[in-house]
Amino acid sequence: QIGPDNPEYRHVAGTIASGIGRLNEAEMHYLAAQQMDRANPKYPLYLAQVQRKQGMTEEARANLVLAANLDPTLGIAWASLAAIALDENRASVALGYIKRARELEPARLEWRLIEAKALLRENKPEQAAELLLAVPEPERLASPAALKELGAALGLLGRTSEAATMYVNAVSANPDNPELAYEAALWL
């Protein structure tokens, strides 16, 4: 209201609106930023994230594809496309997208988790277990999501004692976490 419109101002306004839960306003600001600067991939990327939160899957997918086309090195765009494919129970499609994200950012645990979920849905627990066992143990034990996916893979492989030991180690590393203690008890 006090000066010329600017895509960066709109981006900041969208981020603030999203942070306080005003997703419709955030969407409006990101759309405005995108219309002012169609070459910047962060505007469709952020717009897609807000649209996903609102359940606007098709719109989010379109904006993620746009962001990935504008900057093919955006690992988060590929990973978000994989997450959408997983939500739609299209594991093989998710594996293709997450492969791109992992090529760009191989160390990201979040990308490994998406890939492990897709592998489990494709009935490939051995590959999912190998993928997550490659994560350094301290990082793995600190991540409830990694423990859950690895536990599922080990369970499908009949390696329940290994899953139980993993949870006992996680409890030792995080003794104040009652959820981990509960999971350890279940596996034991």
Side-chain angles (χ1 to χ4, degrees), residues 22-36:
R22 295 180 174 177
L23 299 180
N24 287 337
E25 289 178 40
E27 181 184 7
M28 177 194 68
H29 288 298
Y30 291 137
L31 272 170
Q34 184 180 14
Q35 289 169 352
M36 284 183 248

Side-chain angles (χ1 to χ4, degrees), residues 52-119:
R52 272 193 77 201
K53 288 178 186 176
Q54 295 176 328
M56 301 167 66
T57 305
E58 292 306 316
E59 294 87 345
R61 184 187 350 263
N63 280 303
L64 288 167
V65 168
L66 176 60
N69 285 334
L70 288 171
D71 183 358
T73 66
L74 276 177
I76 191 165
W78 297 109
S80 297
L81 285 166
I84 288 173
L86 267 182
D87 290 345
E88 296 172 340
N89 207 23
R90 297 183 311 142
S92 61
V93 173
L95 285 170
Y97 286 134
I98 203 63
K99 179 182 178 199
R100 295 283 303 266
R102 293 236 14 250
E103 287 170 354
L104 296 166
E105 299 172 316
R108 290 279 302 260
L109 177 59
E110 297 90 345
W111 300 175
R112 284 180 184 264
L113 291 172
I114 292 171
E115 186 173 358
K117 286 179 186 179
L119 288 168

Side-chain angles (χ1 to χ4, degrees), residues 6-12 15 26 29-31 33-34 37-50 63-64 66-71 74 76-77:
N6 179 298
E8 278 302 313
Y9 297 161
R10 290 297 190 131
H11 175 72
V12 171
T15 302
H29 288 298
Y30 291 137
L31 272 170
Q34 184 180 14
D37 183 359
R38 295 194 179 276
N40 192 327
K42 77 178 176 182
Y43 304 137
L45 177 67
Y46 279 74
L47 175 58
Q49 301 304 337
V50 167
N63 280 303
L64 288 167
L66 176 60
N69 285 334
L70 288 171
D71 183 358
L74 276 177
I76 191 165

Side-chain angles (χ1 to χ4, degrees), residues 102 106-109 112 115-116 126-141 146 150 154 159 162 166:
R102 293 236 14 250
R108 290 279 302 260
L109 177 59
R112 284 180 184 264
E115 186 173 358
E126 184 71 45
Q127 289 178 325
E130 287 175 18
L131 180 70
L132 294 174
L133 286 169
V135 174
E137 187 175 28
E139 185 180 357
R140 189 172 63 237
L141 294 179
L150 182 53
L154 294 172
R159 295 160 51 183
E162 197 175 328
M166 173 186 69

